[in-house]
């Protein structure tokens, strides 16, 4: 970054208005990104002088370029926000954090957007005047206060306060499946759900908008429809970071899991940082509501400490000690006992919901991930007031097929015999955790003597390390690995670049013969044309050609497996 010339005003690197609960505050806020390169490189004595003038309670200066210095500069920026605000008779809390590429972030809440934007510009100018141009801190603060005295405050910005129950779902994997199932359970009970997600907006089972509506716009679109009686919102990290959550509160929050996905973008570089972003959803759950948390995920379980809501823990393992901890604290649990989904509450007998074998989404129990999604959705539906009879009916009628859950572990049979023919599983497996889940299901469908073939591929915006790791996972769990190129999803990568990353990961696992094909459909045709041993399975990471792949399967006389056929295949009773 280049320093401004003396006398020129320094603008923020970015001034972003977050109109709802966000990473920094549970109300609207401004995220101010500032060029900190001069402050990060400044002599310790100079830095100390700035602290004494602006942030006298600061405890560390740090070496130039160090992490300690980055935190100190971030706090200096936040202190500057508070000091400028005090001079215009306002109390403004502020937080500071190190940013990316020699920047720091100062965030502060607001009511009036016009004033907030002007305030952010004034803070950036004062920060630059002090750290880049060498201005006296008191003079810079006084100048910032002066420029703000006659600024019109503008209209009040308020996030939506819903008048109907809201279930908000977040996490890394399983969000769409869980929100789909929750909506189905609500609708089975006779109430009209409105559902927003990465797949679009659905009102009472009818798709009214397509595309990614997992941000605040999707929630607003659902709430403005007068027919909707329960809102179900899928909340992605991008919406939280870029605009904030569209609703001030929710009644039930669900956090499915936290795993590596899209790291290295939007300032999120670690799974711990990702968890902090996702934790905004349970943070704004009403105290009278429920935070439905995955007890088998350490980062999700830790979120019980940031929510005011009651905790409803779910775990596929009934021996998970965290269940007892939550029950002792007055919360609830949901798990599986003797093949049945049960609800747990301290001092009461387990409430039996339904046998796992009667829940088609679990694929006969073959999909642990979908079983976890079922537990989460069941808790959310009960938490929003659905009765047990309704939930049982909904769980037994929501299949894992393309009609109910398109693109997520959809299973097809190519051949006549459920036991001996090839099963093709199509899934949007786009990260390490979801690929491992797909391969686990593929292994359950492989019968003795059969092969498990996996066709891998993902979008080019994944880090090199993630694609490499996925190649290793595929090679360790499948008998053969094929690569399907993604011409429409290169996202800045050169053709063939991702194939080499997949191969490097497979090589690490001891597999060197990994052919690549132009696309998913070509790879599927190649495997089916060559033939497979009886009882084989093909696990496909499908992103570009799910519909074309289904057409190819049906052209060969195949069909989508029914829940009964799935149960027969995975249990070996065919």
């Amino acid at each position: 970054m280049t320093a401004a010339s003396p006398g020129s005003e320094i603008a923020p690197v970015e001034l972003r208005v977050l109109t709802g609960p966000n990473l920094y505050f549970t109300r609207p806020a401004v995220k101010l990104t500032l060029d900190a390169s001069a402050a990060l490189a400044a002599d310790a004595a100079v830095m100390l002088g700035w602290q004494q003038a602006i942030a006298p309670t600061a405890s560390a200066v740090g070496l130039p370029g160090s992490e300690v210095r980055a935190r100190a500069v971030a706090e200096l920026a936040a202190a500057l926000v508070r000091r400028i605000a005090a001079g215009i008779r306002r109390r403004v809390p502020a937080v500071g954090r190190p940013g990316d590429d020699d920047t720091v972030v100062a965030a502060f809440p607001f009511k009036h957007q016009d004033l907030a934007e002007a305030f952010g510009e004034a803070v950036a100018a004062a920060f630059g005047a002090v750290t880049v141009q060498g201005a006296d801190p008191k003079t810079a603060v006084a100048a910032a206060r002066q420029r703000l005295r006659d600024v019109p405050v503008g209209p009040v910005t308020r996030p939506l306060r819903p008048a109907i129950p809201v279930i908000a779902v977040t996490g890394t994997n399983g969000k769409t499946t869980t929100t789909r199932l929750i909506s189905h359970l609500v609708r089975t009970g006779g109430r009209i759900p409105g559902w927003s997600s990465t797949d679009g907006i659905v009102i009472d089972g009818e798709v009214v908008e397509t595309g990614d509506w997992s941000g605040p716009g999707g929630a607003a679109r659902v709430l403005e429809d007068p027919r909707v009686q329960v809102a179900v919102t899928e909340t992605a990290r991008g919406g939280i970071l870029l605009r904030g959550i569209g609703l001030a509160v929710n009644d039930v929050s669900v956090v499915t899991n936290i795993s590596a996905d899209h790291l290295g973008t939007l300032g999120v570089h670690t799974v711990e940082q990702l968890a902090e972003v996702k934790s905004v959803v349970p943070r704004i759950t009403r105290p009278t509501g429920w935070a439905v948390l995955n007890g088998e995920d350490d980062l999700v379980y830790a979120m019980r400490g940031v929510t005011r809501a009651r905790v409803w823990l779910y775990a596929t393992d009934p021996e998970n000690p965290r269940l007892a901890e939550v029950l002792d604290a007055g919360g609830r649990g949901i798990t599986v006992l003797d093949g049945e989904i049960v609800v747990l509450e301290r001092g009461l007998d387990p409430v039996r919901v339904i046998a796992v074998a009667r829940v088609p989404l679990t694929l006969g129990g073959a999909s642990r991930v979908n079983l976890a999604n079922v537990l989460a959705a069941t808790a959310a539906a009960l938490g929003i007031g659905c009765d047990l009879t309704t939930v049982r009916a909904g769980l037994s009628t929501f299949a894992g097929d393309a009609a109910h859950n398109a693109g997520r572990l959809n299973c097809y049979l190519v051949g006549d015999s459920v036991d001996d023919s090839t099963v093709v599983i199509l899934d949007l497996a786009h990260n390490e955790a979801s690929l491992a889940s797909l391969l686990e299901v593929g292994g359950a469908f492989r019968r003795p003597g059969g092969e498990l073939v996996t066709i891998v591929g993902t979008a080019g915006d994944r880090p090199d390390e993630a694609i490499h790791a996925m190649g290793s996972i595929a090679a360790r769990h499948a008998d053969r690995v094929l690569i399907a190129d993604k011409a429409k999803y290169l996202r800045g990568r050169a053709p063939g670049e991702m194939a080499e990353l997949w191969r490097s990961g497979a090589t690490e696992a001891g597999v060197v013969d990994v052919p690549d094909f132009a696309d998913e459909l070509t790879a599927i045709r190649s495997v089916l044309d060559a033939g497979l041993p009886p009882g084989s399975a093909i696990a496909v990471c499908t992103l570009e050609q799910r519909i074309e792949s289904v057409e190819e399967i049906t052209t060969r006389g195949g069909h989508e497996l029914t829940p009964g056929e799935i149960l027969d295949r995975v249990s070996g009773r065919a």
Side-chain angles (χ1 to χ4, degrees):
M1 298 182 182
T2 58
S5 59
S8 65
E9 182 174 297
I10 297 178
V13 175
E14 181 187 46
L15 192 158
R16 180 170 291 280
V17 176
L18 306 171
T19 56
N22 52 80
L23 177 62
Y24 311 100
F25 297 95
T26 57
R27 46 185 164 144
V30 167
K31 175 192 174 186
L32 190 64
T33 304
L34 303 168
D35 180 355
S37 53
L40 292 170
D43 183 80
V46 174
M47 181 67 188
L48 179 62
W50 294 336
Q51 287 182 334
Q52 289 173 341
I54 299 172
T57 60
S59 60
V61 170
L63 294 172
S66 67
E67 292 184 10
V68 173
R69 170 63 63 85
R71 292 193 294 270
V73 175
E75 176 50 37
L76 185 74
L80 188 61
V81 170
R82 296 189 287 266
R83 187 165 289 271
I84 293 172
I88 56 172
R89 298 182 180 180
R90 294 178 183 273
R91 296 186 64 184
V92 177
V95 297
R97 297 186 178 204
D100 294 332
D101 300 324
D102 288 343
T103 65
V104 295
V105 171
F108 55 90
F110 72 90
K111 288 185 179 180
H112 304 275
Q113 183 171 331
D114 292 351
L115 177 59
E117 291 179 349
F119 186 87
E121 297 282 356
V123 170
F127 183 83
V130 172
T131 63
V132 177
Q133 298 170 340
D136 177 71
K138 292 182 179 180
T139 302
V141 168
R145 291 172 176 173
Q146 182 61 38
R147 68 184 285 175
L148 293 169
R149 291 194 185 279
D150 298 322
V151 172
V153 297
V156 174
T157 299
R158 292 190 180 95
L160 294 171
R161 298 195 71 87
I164 60 173
V166 173
I167 302 172
V169 181
T170 193
T172 301
N173 295 316
K175 297 187 298 295
T176 301
T177 296
T178 302
T179 51
R180 282 172 172 167
L181 178 54
I182 291 171
S183 298
H184 179 78
L185 298 178
V186 169
R187 195 164 183 241
T188 302
R191 285 189 282 181
I192 296 175
W195 167 52
S196 61
S197 77
T198 52
D199 279 357
I201 295 174
V202 180
I203 308 294
D204 198 20
E206 177 187 353
V207 178
V208 297
E209 298 283 356
T210 59
D212 187 348
W213 287 88
S214 59
R221 176 68 178 83
V222 166
L223 288 177
E224 73 183 15
D225 193 305
R227 297 172 294 169
V228 175
Q229 296 171 304
V230 177
V232 184
T233 64
E234 179 181 332
T235 308
R237 72 183 192 110
I240 298 173
L241 290 168
L242 295 174
R243 292 184 59 193
I245 295 178
L247 306 178
V249 294
N250 59 63
D251 298 273
V252 173
S253 55
V254 177
V255 187
T256 58
N257 48 67
I258 303 294
S259 63
D261 191 38
H262 287 299
L263 297 182
T265 60
L266 299 178
V268 177
H269 300 278
T270 67
V271 290
E272 290 78 14
Q273 291 173 327
L274 182 60
E276 186 181 13
V277 175
K278 304 285 188 178
S279 72
V280 177
V281 175
R283 276 171 56 199
I284 63 170
T285 305
R286 298 181 194 272
T288 55
W290 291 99
V292 179
L293 304 178
N294 184 348
E296 294 170 330
D297 187 302
D298 293 345
L299 293 171
V300 175
Y301 183 62
M303 293 182 193
R304 74 197 188 284
V306 303
T307 184
R308 301 173 300 161
R310 298 168 291 175
V311 174
W312 196 323
L313 205 70
Y314 68 94
T316 57
D317 179 7
E319 299 302 320
N320 189 321
R322 292 171 174 172
L323 287 166
E325 293 173 11
V326 167
L327 298 183
D328 289 341
R332 290 180 183 171
I334 186 167
T335 188
V336 178
L337 285 175
D338 300 324
E340 285 192 292
I341 295 172
V342 297
V343 173
L344 307 175
E345 199 163 356
R346 185 180 180 185
L348 301 177
D349 291 335
V351 176
R352 299 188 179 277
V353 180
I354 192 172
V356 172
R358 291 181 53 208
V359 183
L361 186 61
T362 69
L363 304 180
S367 174
R368 288 186 299 172
V369 166
N370 271 356
L371 176 57
N373 294 335
V374 166
L375 297 179
T378 301
L382 293 173
I384 211 69
C386 293
D387 63 75
L388 200 55
T389 301
T390 288
V391 171
R392 288 190 182 112
L395 291 175
S396 65
T397 54
F398 187 92
D401 56 18
H404 291 90
N405 202 27
R408 274 75 177 178
L409 296 175
N410 303 146
C411 305
Y412 299 84
L413 188 73
V414 183
D416 300 322
S417 168
V418 172
D419 195 37
D420 294 332
S421 297
T422 294
V423 171
V424 181
I425 308 137
L426 306 179
D427 185 79
L428 185 66
H430 59 286
N431 56 33
E432 295 153 70
S434 58
L435 177 59
S437 171
L438 170 61
L439 291 166
E440 178 185 45
V441 172
F445 277 95
R446 174 179 52 189
R447 304 297 299 134
E451 276 191 276
L452 173 59
V453 178
T454 183
I455 298 172
V456 297
T458 192
D461 56 358
R462 265 49 185 185
D464 291 358
E465 296 80 5
I467 300 174
H468 175 92
M470 291 171 72
S472 179
I473 291 169
R476 290 199 311 270
H477 292 90
D479 298 300
R480 280 193 286 153
V481 180
L482 286 67
I483 301 168
D485 292 333
K486 299 285 188 282
K488 296 179 182 178
Y489 289 87
L490 291 175
R491 294 179 178 172
R493 290 188 181 271
E497 181 181 349
M498 283 190 288
E500 291 308 310
L501 292 170
W502 284 106
R503 285 197 184 91
S504 68
T507 300
E508 186 177 272
V511 176
V512 294
D513 183 13
V514 183
D516 66 290
F517 297 83
D519 51 40
E520 298 156 14
L521 184 58
T522 304
I524 292 173
R525 284 172 173 165
S526 173
V527 176
L528 293 177
D529 287 346
L532 288 167
S536 293
I538 308 172
V540 186
C541 302
T542 180
L543 179 61
E544 289 184 344
Q545 296 176 309
R546 180 178 61 84
I547 294 174
E548 295 87 343
S549 298
V550 173
E551 291 173 349
E552 178 68 21
I553 292 167
T554 54
T555 298
R556 293 173 180 261
H559 67 274
E560 189 165 16
L561 285 165
T562 67
E565 288 174 327
I566 289 173
L567 192 59
D568 286 343
R569 176 70 175 234
V570 300
S571 63
R573 292 200 305 266

